[in-house]
Amino acid sequence: MHPLRLKTFVSALSGYLLPTGAVILFLLLWMKSQAIDPNRHNRYISNLLRIQELDARINQNVLQARLGLLPYYDPIVHELAKLKRIQADLQQIPVFLDAGERQSIDRAIELHIQLYQDKESQIEQFKSQIAILRNSESYFPVSVNSLLQNQTIDPTLAALLNKLLQDVLLFNLTTSQELKPQIEGTISQILAVSRPTAQRADVERAIAHARIILTRRPQGDRLVNNILSLPTGDRGEDIAQAYYNAYQQALDTASLNRLALYLLSTLLIIGIATSIIWKLRTSAIAVQQSEAKLRAIFENSLFGIFRVRLEDGLILAANQRCANMLGHESPAEIVGHKRTIDFYVDPSQRQQMLEIVQQQGEINNFEQQFRRQDGTTFWGLFSARLNVAEACLEGAIADISDRHQAEAALQASEAELQVMFAAMTDTVIVFDAEGRYLKYIPKQSLAYKPRVQRIGKTVHDILPKETADLYLDAIRRTLYLQQQSGDLGDCLQKSINVEYYLPIQGKKTWFSASVSILSQNTVLWVARDISDRKATEVTLAQAKEAAEVANHAKTQFLSHMSHELRTPLSVILGFTQLLTRSSRLDPKQQEYLDTISRSGEHLLTLINDVLEMSKIEADRIALNEQDFNLHHLLDGLQQMFQFKATSKGLEFTVERSPDLPECIRTDESKLRQVLVNLIGNAIKFTQAGSVTLRVSFVIRHLSLAKDAQQMTNDQGQMTIHFSVEDTGVGIASAEIDRLFDPFVQAEAGISSQEGTGLGLPISRKFVQLMGGNITVESRLGEGSCFEFYIQAENTAADVIPSPTTSRQVIGLAAGQPAYRILIVEDKPSNRQLLLELLQPVGFDVREAENGREAIAIWQSWQPHLIWMDLRMPVMDGYAATKQIKSAPDAPIIIVLTGSAFEEERQIAVATGCDDFIRKPFRAEVLFEKMTEYLGVQYIYKEEEGRKALDSNRNLHASSLQVMPVEWIEQLRQAAICVNAKLLHQLIAQIPLSHASLAQSIAHLVNNFQFEEIVTLTSAFCH
């Protein structure tokens, strides 16, 4: 190969391969640096925690079965099934871990599975032993009592049987081996005494049951001890430790890949900058060459090219062709000497041209007559563009004198033809006043009866009668317009449009015809095929109908999904409340219930966000205005966020203007949700400094408002202004425009791996519904400020009910009637929840699965109050409520449903329901509603103070200074790794003199607030 060609080939190859290789390497490093899946890691950690929890529950259930406190074995079976599923999930080890580490984890899991198989086998043996033992425990006392009740029994035998019963029952409780010989002796005496008696068979059966108890009870206890002694908890810890080591190794590998990615990015940027500089130098050379070419074109162009000063029209530059057009020998004679005004035949045209240029910045194809130096004239066509920087016009001119003369000669003769044949692609017809064809130029593919000669015939001779009548009516109306106007010129600008169809080639073909005056007795008929447009209109109509059906289906779907999602969640949160009311829970169980409740509330928030966004998109959101105390709302928000802010070392303040009204009327729920979203985001994305909520108000009138869009009326309505300002990470200007789009998050939100991207869109819609708008100002790295205002009415404080305190109801006060409560609900779990809430308190409660059963029970039992579900089989809640409320002595009916739509509430109230509660609900709300409508009075359990919460509010980074720096670093690492066991071990090392510090940190661990622990220890990280 020729050396030059080889060099060119190598250069081209490297020009492609090097960038491609760099990009591939960049993508490879980026993929490796992003290999760790935080969600998968969190799920795996959660499974590790659950497997320890299930192991403890299984041991607890086995002990309860041993003590007879577990009536059936379903809890053990269910917990074992759950544990097997989690073991199967744990075997799906995250792929981002090293292969060797995955094998180590897998071996630990296999050991755990094998150990649990042994444990499950022993549990089965235990269940068999217990089943036989419980049978004898049941029948032994019955057999002895049956013998003792026999009137003919020997007194000595009766005494021995009674002693045997006492000793066996005592042995069953204590399993004392000292009682065994005594019992055997008693059995021998009984057998000796009963030998001649008639009750011999019954005595032997009782003794057989006694010996089963003596044998089986020790065996069952040994099995229990073996089950509890199996080291399943230790094997679970081995799995957790193996996973932690593997995860740390994966984190280190990802960090190295990120470092390599940053280095490669730096090299790529340097290479790109070098390439750009080289291309700029090449472009400069190309520009110089281009200028030389343009100069040659300028001088030799067939068009006149000019450049004139805008102020006075002085010619600044011109080529040879331009000078020749104006009657001069060379450009030197006119450049710097002549002005364009000297060459206009009509100087006023120059002013007209300047006005167009000033308005549009350019002028195109401007025709004007010019005068040469010798006095002759010519027609010129020129275009020019305004050069603002140099205050001049740059353009080109062509001599069109010959064309202008030809156009003038043809203009008169072609006027009529131009009108007739302007649309030759359409059907063109000339009719007289009688509808007779004078001229006919069809579009052959759309001709009706193409072989019929039309000239001289009328429309009735050719077309169907209905269409012919339409033709003739349009012709006569067009001629009538001309007669009324009297000016043929004006009528030429007007036309009548008609639509019709003709059967062509076996199908219906639609036309749109424009009918206009051609002369005093003739009209021009231009028809165009619009079949496609008609088909499109039909399609659009069908699509519109389908869209309406789809929108209705979407509404039905959202309503159904709201009910289906909130109903089971109501059961979860409801039974959590029931368990919380129990006095037999130990602190650990109480913590588990608190965790379930918080997780359920978080899930409810996510479901509400998605449903709110769906209702917003379906335009089904509405205000629910009510009177409330604004200061109470602000106090509650301050209490809600104060601890979280303090735990991060932030200052959270609420500033209120002195004249802020106490009570207002607007949608309290939506206002609270907006403020919770904004304050929560501010604290989440602020690591140091402060978060401030400012609230003020102003009375706006239409005449004083600077922004009319802020006003909803001119009645002096109150405008309340809110702002949430922080010193956090800030938002890039490029992200602000999309910040309020659904499912869109700023870079800080994406990095935090939290949130759904729905909070701000929902907040903006809520603010707009309350008559305001929301804006944001932010600077990256300095903080953000969200501001919004709402319209509200000032209300009197005495019309707002005082807030009720949350107390646990434990019974009904004395001196009240026996209240009858009917529960109408198709889901057994929901009925059970309400039964467990109401019956222990003292209400007389009955159940119905559907509306038909509810009506039957109401007619026979006459309840005081009915809790009514809406969606039920056989008969729904709407129909049942309507029928019950039609009676004069109808009871109170309160809807209890999982629907989140306001329309459901409106329909229920219109049907006759007295009130409406959405699932999930708090137990206190149910009791308050029964007090509101029935006047029920309760007995309450006194609440205990929460010392741990108070101490947490005073927890600061400085509180940790009492402990060594090494201990603080271990605490930080344990929180980062979410190692609750190690955290509790570290808490145990805190001296008793600092018990409040230990309680505060333990509260954070038990509530999974590891992020707050990391924040508290960050000041000691170096």
Side-chain angles (χ1 to χ4, degrees), residues 370-558:
F370 296 96
R371 182 180 292 106
R372 299 188 181 92
Q373 183 183 16
D374 57 6
T376 60
T377 61
F378 71 96
W379 282 91
L381 178 70
F382 75 88
S383 298
R385 178 173 296 176
L386 178 62
N387 186 335
V388 178
E390 300 182 19
C392 65
L393 284 176
E394 299 169 343
I397 185 171
D399 187 347
I400 60 169
S401 298
D402 295 341
R403 192 193 77 184
H404 201 273
Q405 293 173 1
E407 288 176 354
L410 293 173
Q411 187 173 7
S413 62
E414 293 182 353
E416 184 176 350
L417 292 176
Q418 188 176 12
V419 174
M420 291 180 58
F421 305 116
M424 281 303 294
T425 56
D426 301 329
T427 299
V428 181
I429 312 172
V430 177
F431 290 110
D432 64 9
E434 301 301 324
R436 188 176 287 104
Y437 288 84
L438 302 181
K439 293 184 180 181
Y440 178 63
I441 306 174
K443 185 176 182 181
Q444 293 300 324
S445 61
L446 297 173
Y448 174 71
K449 296 182 179 180
R451 298 181 181 178
V452 176
Q453 179 59 249
R454 284 172 167 75
I455 303 302
K457 297 181 180 180
T458 65
V459 291
H460 285 90
D461 297 332
I462 305 297
L463 305 175
K465 182 179 184 306
E466 183 179 352
T467 307
D469 291 342
L470 183 145
Y471 268 55
L472 192 58
D473 178 69
I475 293 169
R476 290 174 178 174
R477 284 192 292 126
T478 304
L479 293 174
Y480 178 76
L481 289 177
Q482 187 270 332
Q483 294 173 4
Q484 292 295 317
S485 175
D487 188 348
L488 182 61
D490 290 341
C491 290
L492 290 174
Q493 305 298 325
K494 301 176 181 179
S495 62
I496 292 177
N497 296 308
V498 293
E499 292 185 1
Y500 59 95
Y501 69 88
L502 291 171
I504 298 175
Q505 298 178 0
K507 65 179 182 178
K508 185 185 293 186
T509 303
W510 280 89
F511 294 90
S512 175
S514 174
V515 189
S516 56
I517 291 291
L518 194 59
S519 66
Q520 290 185 352
N521 294 311
T522 59
V523 297
L524 179 66
W525 185 287
V526 181
R528 175 169 296 176
D529 178 16
I530 60 168
S531 299
D532 292 340
R533 193 191 80 189
K534 281 290 184 181
T536 302
E537 290 176 354
V538 172
T539 303
L540 289 174
Q542 295 173 348
K544 180 180 178 182
E545 182 179 357
E548 292 174 352
V549 172
N551 191 41
H552 179 71
K554 179 181 179 181
T555 300
Q556 295 291 333
F557 171 77
L558 289 176

Side-chain angles (χ1 to χ4, degrees), residues 942-953:
E942 295 296 330
E943 290 188 337
E944 298 180 358
R946 296 177 176 265
K947 297 181 179 180
L949 180 61
D950 294 336
S951 62
N952 285 341
R953 291 176 178 170

Side-chain angles (χ1 to χ4, degrees), residues 963 967 981-992 998 1002:
M963 300 300 295
W967 182 91
K981 181 177 180 180
L982 179 57
L983 285 169
H984 281 296
Q985 293 175 357
L986 293 171
I987 292 171
Q989 300 175 16
I990 299 177
L992 294 177

Side-chain angles (χ1 to χ4, degrees), residues 272-282:
I272 292 171
T274 304
S275 176
I276 291 173
I277 294 172
W278 182 80
K279 288 181 179 180
L280 288 175
R281 293 186 59 188
T282 304

Side-chain angles (χ1 to χ4, degrees), residues 652-919:
F652 175 53
T653 57
V654 179
E655 299 180 2
R656 320 174 199 193
S657 62
D659 52 359
L660 187 68
E662 181 179 2
C663 302
I664 62 173
R665 180 176 181 80
T666 186
D667 194 321
E668 180 184 10
S669 175
K670 290 181 174 59
L671 177 59
R672 179 186 288 108
Q673 186 169 346
V674 172
L675 290 172
V676 167
N677 285 340
L678 296 181
I679 298 172
N681 286 344
I683 294 177
K684 181 194 304 182
F685 299 118
T686 301
Q687 303 304 323
S690 62
V691 175
T692 304
L693 167 63
R694 297 183 177 90
V695 188
S696 60
F697 94 102
V698 60
I699 298 293
R700 292 185 179 269
H701 295 279
L702 192 61
S703 59
L704 301 177
K706 295 182 179 179
D707 185 2
Q709 293 181 351
Q710 294 183 9
M711 298 308 300
T712 58
N713 53 53
D714 58 354
Q715 304 300 317
Q717 192 175 28
M718 181 173 17
T719 299
I720 302 180
H721 181 268
F722 299 83
S723 71
V724 179
E725 185 175 0
D726 63 66
T727 59
V729 296
I731 306 168
S733 58
E735 297 177 321
I736 290 180
D737 294 338
R738 299 176 60 245
L739 197 60
F740 294 97
D741 294 343
F743 304 104
V744 173
Q745 293 179 289
E747 182 64 29
I750 297 173
S751 301
S752 69
Q753 298 290 323
E754 296 179 9
T756 60
L758 292 176
L760 288 178
I762 292 174
S763 298
R764 180 172 66 175
K765 183 61 179 179
F766 284 176
V767 169
Q768 291 172 347
L769 280 174
M770 290 184 283
N773 196 15
I774 185 170
T775 58
V776 58
E777 294 182 0
S778 180
R779 297 187 65 179
L780 199 60
E782 297 183 8
S784 305
C785 181
F786 285 81
E787 295 184 310
F788 70 93
Y789 60 89
I790 63 169
Q791 304 294 332
E793 297 178 9
N794 196 357
T795 59
D798 55 359
V799 302
I800 299 177
S802 301
T804 59
T805 58
S806 177
R807 295 182 293 173
Q808 180 178 339
V809 175
I810 60 175
L812 297 176
Q816 299 185 91
Y819 292 107
R820 297 182 295 277
I821 309 298
L822 175 60
I823 301 170
V824 187
E825 168 66 64
D826 60 323
K827 297 289 191 302
S829 57
N830 289 335
R831 296 200 303 273
Q832 181 185 1
L833 171 61
L834 291 172
L835 279 171
E836 296 292 342
L837 276 174
L838 301 179
Q839 277 187 338
V841 173
F843 290 105
D844 190 2
V845 185
R846 290 191 183 181
E847 307 174 56
E849 292 186 5
N850 54 63
R852 184 176 297 171
E853 289 186 10
I855 293 174
I857 296 174
W858 161 69
Q859 291 173 340
S860 62
W861 193 49
Q862 294 295 311
H864 295 90
L865 184 143
I866 299 176
W867 291 106
M868 180 75 71
D869 189 20
L870 295 179
R871 298 176 180 269
M872 295 180 291
V874 183
M875 178 184 288
D876 61 23
Y878 298 112
T881 299
K882 190 173 182 180
Q883 185 169 338
I884 294 173
K885 281 295 186 179
S886 63
D889 55 346
I892 299 298
I893 298 180
I894 303 178
V895 170
L896 194 60
T897 180
S899 173
F901 286 88
E902 183 64 23
E903 290 85 346
E904 298 272 6
R905 180 189 186 97
Q906 296 172 359
I907 296 173
V909 172
T911 305
C913 295
D914 296 280
D915 212 330
F916 189 97
I917 297 178
R918 292 185 176 90
K919 303 173 185 175

Side-chain angles (χ1 to χ4, degrees), residues 162-174:
N162 196 11
K163 183 176 185 303
L164 177 64
L165 175 62
Q166 294 177 0
D167 291 344
V168 170
L169 292 180
L170 181 60
F171 177 81
N172 189 42
L173 290 175
T174 63

